[in-house]
Amino acid sequence: MSYDELIEEALEARKMAYTPYSKFKVGAALLTKDGKVYRGCNIENSSYTPTNCAERTAIFKAVSEGDYNFEAMAIVGGFEDQKELGLCAPCGVCRQVIREFCSDDFKIILLNGQTDGKNTYDVYKLSEILPLSFGPEDMKIKPRK
Ligand code: THU
């Protein structure tokens, strides 16, 4: 699957966002190494703290189905009334959750513009957006297969 297609999956995922409080809708599409896509959206809560980000929803869906081999994740986000989406980078908590299951070269594809109906994006490695990180191997835990 191309990164363009993965961005489209994230845009579809965003449509399911439950955001009555912030009105900020995020979509994520997690690509496994065997080509499966798990979609995630943010799910808010009246008590605020239990809110789950789109990226974590996608990861937790995959892990709860026994899938652990991830290649890339596309992330898109913006306010519900926004005409063209700009950059929406993953929060620190989501970066750490991604770190639990993904290697340094896992790719994060961030939509950064939608000029004239065309999506543009940037591609980052996990190690670029979460340098000097703490992960399972620091706790002497081997990555799951
Ligand atoms: N949000 C995400 O879903 N992912 C991020 O990485 C950043 C923030 C959500 C959480 C909340 O529902 C809304 O965006 C505003 O913070």
Side-chain angles (χ1 to χ4, degrees):
M1 166 169 293
S2 71
Y3 289 161
D4 274 309
E5 289 169 320
L6 200 60
I7 288 277
E8 288 299 332
E9 288 281 338
L11 288 166
E12 282 304 307
R14 182 173 175 264
K15 292 179 182 168
M16 305 306 288
Y18 174 74
T19 57
Y21 305 100
S22 74
K23 319 274 188 212
F24 193 92
K25 294 186 178 290
V26 184
L30 177 64
L31 179 65
T32 68
K33 286 190 175 154
D34 51 11
K36 195 166 173 191
V37 175
Y38 288 91
R39 293 178 180 176
C41 61
N42 51 334
I43 303 168
E44 297 188 341
N45 190 279
S46 54
S47 187
Y48 286 38
T49 315
T51 292
N52 208 55
C53 290
E55 299 88 327
R56 276 178 286 145
T57 302
I59 294 261
F60 294 156
K61 279 174 70 177
V63 171
S64 68
E65 298 289 326
D67 252 340
Y68 290 94
N69 289 303
F70 305 133
E71 187 161 317
M73 179 188 278
I75 303 165
V76 305
F79 284 101
E80 63 183 19
D81 58 358
Q82 219 171 297
K83 295 227 165 54
E84 291 174 356
L85 299 180
L87 188 77
C88 174
C91 79
V93 172
C94 288
R95 291 177 201 210
Q96 186 64 33
V97 170
I98 292 169
R99 172 70 176 81
E100 186 69 23
F101 300 105
C102 301
S103 58
D104 276 351
D105 66 346
F106 177 79
K107 302 292 188 307
I108 289 130
I109 297 111
L110 301 180
L111 180 73
N112 64 11
Q114 294 191 299
T115 318
D116 301 327
K118 199 184 158 6
N119 299 322
T120 55
Y121 54 81
D122 295 319
V123 181
Y124 295 92
K125 289 197 302 180
L126 176 60
S127 57
E128 291 178 285
I129 67 161
L130 193 68
L132 204 68
S133 63
F134 187 85
E137 60 285 359
D138 295 299
M139 296 298 290
K140 311 233 181 291
I141 299 294
K142 290 203 184 88
R144 289 184 78 162
K145 291 281 171 242

